[in-house]
């Protein structure tokens, strides 16, 4: 017999398969020896009870042989001789998943990526972290796998299209991700594991006859009669195909400039900007797991060591602006995510074990059209210029070499320069300064007020032990590249398909991947008719 059962276990109990079997047996009134095995269907943490519990939904095999979980394997045909070819510009999650879906549909992808492969890219990241030297073509945003490769690898999305989400997670597993992403309520791959997965995707694309080229930065294209005729790369190569997927991400500002210059419609869109905050992870654990409640609880004290590093999610309306936490990384590192010289951008990541002593999160506020009045002469690029101006101020305030300007949290609120900064995970280093010199007033004030509210929601969060680092400016694209609502091509160019985060249709790895698949499917449908 197979039965779906929900269990509430202590964290230590959830670590042991034998103990899980014992709990299954007692919940169905059988002996542990009668349970031949189980599949985990869902796993989440309930931190509300006095001792946090792991909630497990399992499919138990009772008095019948156990069989391992059968993951669906998606097969990819040989497309070497395909009649249709599509150029995919950008090898981030949107571009990679688009290329794979094209292959599945019998179309040959030609992936053009401005950066380097994951391995060569790692050396450029080391140079940036250790010596503050940025390669504008190979960094945390540009290169194989895009911003997704050295990202945190949290695989959450607000999308409700469950089937599509499961397919993306299945594909990640097929290319080497741990199976647990299929059942964790908050799946996370970790920066250390993503490069292998991305490499396996590229090998699959090449094995099937797709092309995958590095160092191919698209800098121009020709078009006539509503269609792109050819595209040009910085190394003076030209390419042409039956369709073009533009998946260049939110940091490819040069692409927005090219489109704008050629009068190909782009639109300004709201985005978010702010800072990254870092607390000791032990402090976030003690707040979130309410360690104060466990002082007189012997079981709770024992269980502390089995709890995962705690996460949080915060939001507050301040003066009609939403201020919210973004991309929270338990056990993480603050990373330099700049793509241009003299512009400072930070973001965060964590390894799969989330075992760094710090907890960081973006704290950002929404930037709407009415905040961009002084940049309005830039039209659709107003948000981009606004972003850039803050990033430049942050770079200057840090004093160069991607050292980040920073302030203690209470000092930030009290507008006081910190005399000494606490330790910080940001490898290029931090420099004490007043962040009101960097952030626009309304951003600074909204975030300062939100910090006080956050301290009321999470007692202990508002503390001078925390460090505020500027600037978190690449949360989403400040520009949208419009597309036809049904056929998904650009309204002016029938063979150009804007895709992913840079085009304004995704926010994060999973939604970018889903958008990539959607665009590839739209192309396949067009030619199937
Ligand atoms: C440090 C960090 C941590 C993050 N953590 C998470 C997380 O935990 N979870 C999550 O969901 N998201 C996270 N993100 C965001 C996530 O990585 C992005 O949302 C996602 O990668 C967007 O996918 P995309 O394919 O649309 O664009 P991108 O990933 O930006 O890819 C665009 C690609 O296009 C290439 N390109 C750009 N211009 C050109 C050109 N002219 N010619 C050729 N190629 C070009 C770039 O080199 C890049 O490879 C993180 C990002 C960073 C930087």
């Amino acid at each position: 017999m197979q039965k779906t059962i929900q269990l509430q276990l202590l964290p230590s109990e959830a670590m042991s398969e034998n103990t899980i079997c014992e709990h299954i047996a007692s919940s169905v009134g059988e002996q542990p020896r009668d349970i031949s095995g189980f599949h985990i269907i869902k796993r989440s943490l309930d931190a509300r009870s006095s001792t946090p519990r792991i909630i497990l939904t399992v499919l138990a095999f009772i008095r019948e042989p156990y069989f391992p979980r059968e993951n669906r394997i998606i097969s990819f045909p040989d497309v070497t001789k395909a009649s249709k070819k599509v150029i995919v510009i950008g090898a981030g999650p949107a571009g990679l998943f688009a290329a794979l879906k094209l292959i599945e549909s019998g179309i040959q992808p030609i992936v053009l990526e401005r950066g380097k492969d994951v391995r060569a890219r790692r050396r450029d990241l080391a140079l940036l972290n250790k010596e503050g030297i940025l390669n504008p073509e190979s960094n945390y945003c540009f290169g194989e796998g895009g911003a997704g490769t050295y990202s945190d690898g949290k695989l959450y999305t607000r999308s409700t299209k469950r089937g599509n989400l499961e397919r993306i997670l299945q594909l990640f597993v097929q290319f080497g991700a741990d199976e647990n992403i299929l059942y964790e309520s908050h799946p996370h791959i970790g920066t250390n594991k993503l490069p292998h997965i991305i490499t396996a995707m590229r090998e699959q694309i090449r094995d099937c006859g797709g092309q995958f080229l590095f160092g191919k930065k698209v800098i121009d294209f020709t078009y006539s009669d509503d269609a792109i005729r050819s595209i040009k790369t910085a190394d003076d190569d030209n390419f042409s195909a039956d369709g073009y997927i533009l998946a260049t991400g939110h940091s490819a500002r040069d692409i927005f400039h090219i489109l704008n210059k050629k009068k190909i419609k782009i639109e300004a869109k709201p985005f978010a900007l702010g800072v990254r905050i870092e607390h000791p992870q032990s402090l976030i654990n003690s707040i979130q797991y309410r360690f104060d409640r466990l002082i007189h609880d012997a079981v709770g004290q024992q269980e502390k060591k089995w709890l995962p590093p705690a996460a949080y999610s915060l939001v507050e309306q301040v003066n009609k602006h939403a201020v919210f936490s973004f991309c929270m990384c338990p056990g993480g590192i603050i990373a330099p995510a700049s793509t241009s010289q003299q512009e400072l951008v930070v973001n965060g990541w964590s390894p799969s074990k989330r075992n760094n002593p710090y907890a960081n999160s973006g704290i950002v506020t929404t930037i709407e059209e009415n905040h961009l009045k002084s940049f309005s002469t830039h039209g659709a690029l107003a948000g981009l210029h606004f972003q850039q101006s803050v990033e430049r101020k942050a770079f200057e305030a840090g004093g160069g070499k991607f050292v980040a300007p920073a302030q203690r949290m209470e000092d930030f609120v009290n507008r006081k320069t910190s005399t000494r900064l606490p330790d910080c995970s940001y490898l290029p280093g931090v420099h004490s300064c007043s962040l009101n010199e960097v952030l626009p007033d309304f951003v600074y004030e909204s975030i300062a007020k939100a910090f006080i509210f956050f301290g009321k929601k999470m007692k202990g969060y508002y503390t001078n032990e925390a460090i505020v680092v500027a600037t978190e400016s690449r949360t989403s694209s400040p520009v949208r590249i419009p597309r036809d609502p049904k056929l998904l091509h650009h309204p002016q160019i029938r063979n150009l398909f804007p895709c992913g985060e840079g085009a304004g249709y995704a926010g994060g790895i999973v939604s970018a991947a889903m958008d990539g698949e959607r665009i590839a499917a739209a192309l396949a449908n067009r030619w199937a008719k």
Side-chain angles (χ1 to χ4, degrees), residues 67-119:
F67 61 84
R69 190 195 300 265
E70 272 178 35
N71 289 327
R72 201 173 126 216
I73 300 289
I74 295 166
S75 55
F76 297 96
D78 190 319
V79 290
T80 319
K81 295 193 178 133
S83 61
K84 296 286 181 195
K85 291 186 186 357
V86 169
I87 290 178
V88 180
I89 310 168
L96 285 173
F97 279 81
L100 289 166
K101 185 78 185 173
L102 289 171
I103 293 176
E104 222 185 317
S105 317
I107 300 166
Q108 188 190 36
I110 302 165
V111 182
L112 302 182
E113 168 53 51
R114 77 195 287 164
K116 302 180 185 174
D117 65 78
V118 282
R119 200 189 286 191

Side-chain angles (χ1 to χ4, degrees), residues 402-464:
F402 296 92
V403 171
Q407 204 166 2
R408 286 180 186 265
M409 189 183 204
E410 290 179 51
D411 293 344
F412 179 95
V413 171
N414 298 319
R415 293 178 177 266
K416 190 180 144 220
T417 308
S418 306
T419 41
R420 235 192 86 248
L421 291 172
D423 288 343
C424 178
S425 66
Y426 180 75
L427 288 172
V430 285
H431 172 65
S432 171
C433 79
S434 296
L435 293 178
N436 60 356
E437 290 166 19
V438 173
L439 299 169
D441 284 348
F442 74 94
V443 172
Y444 187 92
E445 277 163 25
S446 303
I447 291 177
K449 284 191 182 142
F451 279 159
I452 297 171
F453 285 119
F454 293 165
K456 289 181 183 152
K457 286 182 179 169
M458 278 177 65
K459 292 247 163 1
Y461 184 86
Y462 178 53
T463 167
N464 245 356

